[in-house]
Amino acid sequence: MTGKARRPRRIEPRIGGSNASKLDLRPTQQDRSGTPKPPAKKRKSGTPQKPASAQKPATAKKPAPKRKKAVARKTGGTGGRSGAARRSATPKRTRRPVGKILGSVLKGALYWGAVLGIWAGLFALGVVIYYAAYLPPTSEWEVPARPPNVKIVSSSGQLIANRGETGGEAVRLEQLPPYLPNAVIAIEDRRFRSHFGIDLIGLTRAFYVNMTAGTLVQGGSTLTQQLAKNLFLEPDRTIKRKMQEVVLAIWLETHYSKDAILEMYLNRVYLGSGAYGVDAASRRYYGKSARLVTIAEAATLAGLLKAPSRYSPARNPDLAEERAQLVLTAMNDEGFITEDEAKNALAAPAQVVARYISGSENYAADYVVDVLPRYVGALDSDVIVDTTIDMDIQRSAEAALRKTLRENRVEKNVYQGAIVTLDTAGAIKAMVGGSDYGRTQFNRAAYAERQPGSAFKPFVYLAALENGLTPNTIRQDQPITLNGWSPRNYTKQHYGPVTLTQSLAMSLNTVAASLTHEVGPKTVVRTAQRLGIKSDLSPTLSIALGTSEVTPLEIAGAYVPFSNGGYGVMPHIIRRIRTVDGKVLYSRNGDGLGRVVSRTNVGNMNLMMAETLLRGTGKTAKLADGRPAGGKTGTSQDFRDAWFIGYTSQLTTAVWLGNDNNSPTKKASGGTLPAVVWKEAMDAAHKELPAARLPGTPSVPIANAVPKTRSPATASSGSGREIVPPLPANENAGPMRLLRNIFGNGGT
């Protein structure tokens, strides 16, 4: 060999042929543009050396191309690297610790969560601003005045009821026992004292619970939001209303203290049964002011907020008690009551007072509200109405009516009744409008127009007296026909010549019709209207038998002149109206109708009507201890209405029994059940009153003599329904025996 170095043989790559399978000319990832070069690794001891064919020639001035290196690395067969060598030469990736990976993931989650939160907040703010634009300008925002309450009290100052849109008084927060507002906070909004009107924690929790349940399970509204809704918004469940509620809640928080917001809420929130506010609800369910509720009662009231109808202690006492137990637990958890207080309240649950629902005094309270606008017009603040109602007389009348109906409703088919009692000035002392206020609130005493039957006859006889007749004037009880009408007595008998006193006590239809024909139906109508009848009266002959309808209140008022010496009255229930701070808005000055009956005729009418109780159709109504009284029975066609209207020198009471659907009773006549109710009510009402004679009468009423002649006859049933016993068969009976037989057995 020469000294000249021999150059290595050049091997040209060929496509195809026997070496085609040994060459791979496709670019690897490392050949791509922008791919970072893997770090070089130190060769470990024991690693096989590269084959000579792969080493760089000593005389080479330039390194072999990277592509050939890559090709050699990928080339298999005897000319390439072994598998171990290739794996050793491939750079290894560094594994990151798990903690760093989790930290990176968490950091990313926080970042993107913050981004999403910001966008969500901006979106929510945009929605709020959009719907807030529908609200009036903030300069016009003002908390509306609470609807005025009407506190109705008896003549002695005892609370009868509260009326108005709220049904209760407005109470100050400091007047309430602390556990009442705390019960509301514990169960409805335990972060009330710390949030700014919106409870973000509560909203988040409610959102999660509702999403998990797939339905609306929890609400996130705060007390402030609820108040905003009650004060300003409609109860519809829309996004618009909810967003406006949020805006108004924040406005309330910025303009009022927490205590002021809580007080407004407690005085306005609906708690079922028409009660708005805790005082109304307390009186409704427990018959007392919210100032006096116990812990158990406070928990029950707070429990109503979730669903007033569902958790009403009057309708669902078991559910109400379960809810109250939950409230008590929440109060204890929040530290508002001790564990012992919670246990004591659980052991003695609240008891509902039923009388507040069904007591007859509610009829009187409703009547007060009906007539109140006549005295003061529209109200803009709470008022106190002093009434003429005597609660002792009221409850005695109610007890008498309920007892009689309970004992006779099935046997006599009579299910309703009404009582009204007036004093000599026309003041309403009792008004019972039905058998049970809880079942029906229609006030029959004031508004039921029914036929009075023979109870209307005193106006016929007064018209006759004013036209020159006297109590001893004799008229014939005999069959008659007047303008084609033939009235008949209930007993189907006729008694011949009788005095006006006897005919009124016996309630003879023929004589009453004859007197009406004699003086004229229009005269009778004018007489009744002069004494106080306001209903339309038909000036026909049948008016004598009470065919025109009247209300118990107006006919009772028309009887009062007989008890007070002849002065007409205007039945009234309001004595005074004043504001809660004592300003008098109205005070009654005792105005009336003046004299409507002469003294003489008052005395004559009282002598005649006293006979009805002593020996006539109303003997069942005779008062205890022989107390002087007068009155008249009344029964309408087919026993549809049964009446007794009577009076003493102090009180006048009208009693009506019947059915609302005008169905006939089973012969319940005026001299039976109504007379019993009247006697029981009037005996109780007069316990503390001295006995006194009726105006214009002697101390002991004197019975009038019965004529010697009579003419008994039989006739068909009449239209007036007054039961009187038949005359004795012995025509030679003495006057006193004859009188006893005419009046002695009572009747209707």
Side-chain angles (χ1 to χ4, degrees):
M1 291 181 67
T2 62
K4 197 174 182 178
R6 195 167 72 180
R7 299 177 63 180
R9 182 184 174 188
R10 178 181 178 85
I11 300 175
E12 296 293 339
R14 289 184 298 176
I15 304 302
S18 60
N19 293 328
S21 61
K22 300 179 181 180
L23 296 176
D24 187 356
L25 301 181
R26 292 175 296 177
T28 66
Q29 183 64 31
Q30 298 297 329
D31 297 320
R32 304 289 184 183
S33 174
T35 302
K37 186 176 181 180
K41 292 188 178 180
K42 293 182 180 180
R43 187 170 53 200
K44 296 182 182 179
S45 59
T47 303
Q49 296 293 329
K50 294 183 180 179
S53 61
Q55 292 182 0
K56 187 184 296 184
T59 59
K61 296 181 179 180
K62 294 182 180 180
K66 291 182 179 180
R67 181 173 296 278
K68 287 188 176 181
K69 201 172 185 180
V71 171
R73 189 168 55 246
K74 292 187 177 182
T75 302
T78 58
R81 297 178 182 177
S82 65
R86 287 198 302 272
R87 286 194 297 270
S88 175
T90 302
K92 295 183 178 179
R93 294 189 179 183
T94 304
R95 293 187 177 180
R96 301 172 65 189
V98 176
K100 289 185 178 181
I101 296 175
L102 292 177
S104 178
V105 172
L106 180 60
K107 186 182 297 183
L110 291 175
Y111 170 79
W112 287 110
V115 172
L116 291 175
I118 292 172
W119 280 107
L122 291 174
F123 176 77
L125 180 61
V127 173
V128 170
I129 293 174
Y130 173 78
Y131 286 116
Y134 289 93
L135 292 170
T138 55
S139 59
E140 299 179 11
W141 293 5
E142 184 179 358
V143 173
R146 183 176 184 268
N149 177 67
V150 180
K151 182 180 181 180
I152 303 168
V153 298
S154 69
S155 57
S156 62
Q158 183 178 353
L159 178 69
I160 295 177
N162 285 284
R163 289 293 186 268
E165 291 185 30
T166 58
E169 303 172 52
V171 290
R172 300 296 302 272
L173 192 63
E174 59 267 22
Q175 294 175 322
L176 297 172
Y179 43 76
L180 179 52
N182 285 341
V184 174
I185 292 174
I187 197 65
E188 286 292 312
D189 188 3
R190 58 193 179 94
R191 281 178 290 274
F192 171 74
R193 295 290 182 182
S194 60
H195 63 60
F196 58 95
I198 310 300
D199 185 3
L200 297 179
I201 299 175
L203 282 174
T204 303
R205 183 194 67 247
F207 177 78
Y208 173 77
V209 172
N210 294 335
M211 288 295 293
T212 304
T215 184
L216 186 61
V217 177
Q218 287 188 6
S221 294
T222 63
L223 293 181
T224 314
Q225 287 178 263
Q226 294 179 41
L227 178 62
K229 178 183 65 176
N230 293 338
L231 291 177
F232 304 110
L233 302 173
E234 297 297 327
D236 55 325
R237 304 181 69 175
T238 62
I239 294 294
K240 176 182 177 181
R241 197 270 295 165
K242 195 67 177 178
M243 294 301 101
Q244 292 176 340
E245 177 185 299
V246 169
V247 174
L248 293 168
I250 297 174
W251 179 83
L252 284 171
E253 291 279 349
T254 58
H255 286 74
Y256 296 92
S257 67
K258 288 289 186 180
D259 284 348
I261 292 172
L262 186 58
E263 182 177 300
M264 283 190 286
Y265 179 84
L266 293 175
N267 278 307
R268 298 167 188 257
V269 65
Y270 182 65
L271 293 168
S273 300
Y276 288 84
V278 291
D279 188 72
S282 177
R283 295 185 186 280
R284 162 67 178 80
Y285 299 118
Y286 306 119
K288 58 184 174 182
S289 170
R291 304 174 181 89
L292 305 175
V293 296
T294 64
I295 294 178
E297 291 165 347
T300 305
L301 294 177
L304 288 167
L305 296 171
K306 182 177 178 66
S309 297
R310 176 176 172 79
Y311 294 108
S312 168
R315 301 176 62 180
N316 300 305
D318 293 337
L319 283 177
E321 185 176 345
E322 290 179 10
R323 181 69 177 168
Q325 293 173 359
L326 184 62
V327 176
L328 290 170
T329 302
M331 293 174 70
N332 178 243
D333 291 343
E334 295 299 319
F336 293 140
I337 58 174
T338 66
E339 188 172 345
D340 288 340
E341 288 175 325
K343 289 180 179 179
N344 292 336
L346 289 171
Q351 299 295 323
V352 174
V353 178
R355 180 169 182 83
Y356 187 85
I357 309 171
S358 60
S360 65
E361 62 270 21
N362 286 288
Y363 290 113
D366 289 349
Y367 183 70
V368 168
V369 175
D370 290 345
V371 301
L372 189 61
R374 305 177 192 173
Y375 298 92
V376 294
L379 297 174
D380 55 8
S381 62
D382 289 4
V383 296
I384 301 172
V385 179
D386 297 301
T387 71
T388 59
I389 294 293
D390 184 312
M391 288 302 293
D392 292 334
I393 298 177
Q394 177 77 28
R395 286 171 178 161
S396 297
E398 177 187 359
L401 178 64
R402 286 192 172 188
K403 175 187 174 184
T404 300
L405 290 177
R406 183 174 61 252
E407 295 175 351
N408 297 276
R409 61 166 47 99
V410 176
E411 180 183 353
K412 294 294 185 179
N413 190 40
V414 54
Y415 290 88
Q416 275 301 341
I419 305 176
V420 60
T421 297
L422 311 177
D423 67 8
T424 54
I428 300 174
K429 310 305 290 184
M431 177 177 278
V432 183
S435 61
D436 187 344
Y437 182 84
R439 293 180 178 273
T440 169
Q441 291 77 51
F442 177 61
N443 190 341
R444 298 156 187 81
Y447 303 120
E449 296 182 339
R450 310 293 297 223
Q451 290 186 357
S454 293
F456 192 84
K457 287 177 180 176
F459 307 118
V460 175
Y461 282 79
L462 175 60
L465 294 180
E466 291 176 340
N467 278 269
L469 280 64
T470 70
N472 290 321
T473 298
I474 295 177
R475 287 291 183 267
Q476 291 292 329
D477 173 27
Q478 60 187 5
I480 57 172
T481 298
L482 303 169
N483 298 334
W485 174 52
S486 300
R488 300 178 180 87
N489 295 330
Y490 176 77
T491 60
K492 303 178 183 180
Q493 293 182 342
H494 297 283
Y495 305 104
V498 292
T499 65
L500 297 189
T501 300
Q502 294 165 355
S503 64
L504 180 59
M506 297 164 65
S507 198
L508 300 179
N509 292 337
T510 56
V511 176
S514 297
L515 293 175
T516 301
H517 182 265
E518 185 176 340
V519 302
K522 292 184 179 179
T523 300
V524 174
V525 169
R526 286 193 296 268
T527 300
Q529 291 174 337
R530 187 176 76 244
L531 268 67
I533 297 295
K534 302 298 182 184
S535 296
D536 292 335
L537 301 176
S538 179
T540 61
L541 289 176
S542 64
I543 191 72
L545 307 185
T547 54
S548 291
E549 297 174 340
V550 296
T551 68
L553 178 60
E554 66 179 326
I555 197 168
Y559 268 57
V560 170
F562 302 137
S563 73
N564 68 9
Y567 295 92
V569 299
M570 299 175 64
H572 59 277
I573 196 170
I574 296 177
R575 294 188 302 113
R576 182 176 58 176
I577 305 170
R578 51 196 167 96
T579 62
V580 292
D581 56 3
K583 180 182 177 181
V584 177
L585 303 178
Y586 167 81
S587 181
R588 188 171 183 83
N589 57 18
D591 54 338
L593 302 178
R595 178 171 289 281
V596 293
V597 184
S598 69
R599 292 184 179 88
T600 300
N601 286 331
V602 167
N604 288 336
M605 287 298 300
N606 285 337
L607 283 170
M608 296 167 71
M609 286 207 282
E611 287 296 315
T612 301
L613 273 73
L614 294 175
R615 283 168 285 273
T617 57
K619 192 173 69 172
T620 303
K622 186 184 299 183
L623 296 178
D625 301 326
R627 184 182 295 269
K632 186 68 186 75
T633 58
T635 312
S636 68
Q637 185 75 22
D638 297 326
F639 298 96
R640 298 179 189 276
D641 305 278
W643 297 76
F644 191 90
I645 308 170
Y647 55 89
T648 65
S649 59
Q650 293 107 339
L651 298 172
T652 300
T653 294
V655 177
W656 168 84
L657 297 180
N659 295 308
D660 288 338
N661 60 5
N662 205 34
S663 61
T665 65
K666 294 179 180 178
K667 296 188 177 181
S669 59
T672 56
L673 301 185
V676 171
V677 174
W678 187 89
K679 172 181 169 54
E680 291 184 6
M682 289 289 272
D683 276 340
H686 285 82
K687 282 184 178 179
E688 306 298 328
L689 298 177
R693 64 185 180 89
L694 298 176
T697 64
S699 57
V700 178
I702 301 174
N704 294 282
V706 177
K708 294 181 180 179
T709 59
R710 56 182 177 79
S711 177
T714 300
S716 59
S717 61
S719 59
R721 300 301 188 180
E722 296 305 314
I723 300 175
V724 291
L727 290 172
N730 182 5
E731 296 191 15
N732 296 321
M736 292 305 297
R737 181 179 175 185
L738 184 61
L739 191 64
R740 284 194 300 271
N741 279 287
I742 294 176
F743 296 108
N745 294 332
T748 63

